[in-house]
Amino acid sequence: MATTADFRNGLALEWNNDLFTIVEFQHVKPGKGGAFVRTKLKNIKTGRIFENTFTAGEKVTTARIERRTFQYLYKDELGYNFMDNDTFEQISLEEHMVPQADLMKEGSNVDILIHAETETPLSVEMPAYVELRVTYTEPGVKGDTATNAGKPATVETGATIKVPLFIDNDELIKVNTSTYEYDSRVKEK
C-alpha cells in the first residue's frame, strides 16, 4: 500500500481491477478546498493513457512489475514463443501482446514486462533500434535526389520500411522500432 505522497513517474498501480503506470503527476493545493493529485495513467496491457484525479492522502495498491530479457524463438499456431535468458523457461504469447512483431527476427532479445505476484506476462517491449537486412528494394533513380526522397524496402522479417534512394538489396540497416523509420546504414563486421 502507498499513498499519493509516494507517487513518482513509472510507479505501477493496481487500480480499477487493472494495472497502470504513472506517466505524469502533479500535486495541487487550491486556495479553497482540499488538496488533490492530478495524474496521467497508462494502462500496461492496452497502452491507453488517460487522466485521473486522486484526493491527497488516498491509499492505492502498488504492483511489482519486473522487466525480464527473453529471446524470441519462433512463431507457431499458439503465438510467439520466447525463452527466458536466465532460467531457459519457454513461454508462448498471443499475437495481440506482441507489438512490432514484424521487426523481430529469430534469436533477437526483447524485454517482457511480468506482474511479479502472479508471474503473468503483460507486454513485450522491443529495443529502440534493430538491425535488419534489406531483402528487396527497387534500384534508386539517378538524379532523383533533389528532395528527401525515399523508396519502400522489404527487410528480412517481412516488414516494409521507407529508406533513402541509395540503399540497395542485401544492405544492413538500423530501424527505429517505434516509428518504423530508417535510421542509418550498419557497417558489416
Side-chain angles (χ1 to χ4, degrees), residues 2 7 49 103 122 161:
F7 280 7
I49 295 177
L103 294 179
L122 301 171
I161 309 293

Side-chain angles (χ1 to χ4, degrees), residues 72 75 80 82 94-105 108 124 126 157-159 177 180:
Y72 171 58
K75 181 184 181 201
Y80 293 91
F82 298 91
E94 296 174 11
E95 207 164 322
H96 69 87
M97 294 181 71
V98 187
Q100 301 125 347
D102 56 346
L103 294 179
M104 278 192 316
K105 60 182 179 181
S108 60
V124 175
M126 293 282 292
T157 60
T177 57
Y180 278 70

Side-chain angles (χ1 to χ4, degrees), residues 20-90:
F20 298 90
T21 57
I22 297 176
V23 176
E24 190 177 300
F25 71 98
Q26 178 183 20
H27 289 277
V28 179
K29 175 79 172 98
K32 188 176 186 181
F36 58 91
V37 180
R38 194 175 288 136
T39 61
K40 283 188 182 178
L41 301 172
K42 179 180 181 182
N43 187 314
I44 291 177
K45 292 178 184 169
T46 65
R48 197 174 130 231
I49 295 177
F50 68 96
E51 295 183 4
N52 187 56
T53 303
F54 294 94
T55 56
E58 184 175 338
K59 292 187 186 237
V60 292
T61 305
T62 57
R64 213 171 88 231
I65 307 296
E66 294 179 355
R67 178 182 308 269
R68 297 183 192 160
T69 303
F70 282 74
Q71 182 181 31
Y72 171 58
L73 299 175
Y74 59 92
K75 181 184 181 201
D76 61 9
E77 65 277 352
L78 298 175
Y80 293 91
N81 294 281
F82 298 91
M83 178 184 67
D84 189 326
N85 285 350
D86 297 328
T87 65
F88 305 110
E89 290 181 27
Q90 292 186 16

Side-chain angles (χ1 to χ4, degrees), residues 130-133 167 170-174 182-189:
V130 292
E131 294 178 1
L132 299 171
R133 189 163 302 281
I167 297 295
D170 205 40
E171 283 197 55
L172 198 59
I173 62 171
K174 190 174 179 183
Y182 165 87
D183 184 67
S184 63
R185 279 181 173 163
V186 176
K187 292 187 179 180
E188 303 279 341
K189 294 175 175 97

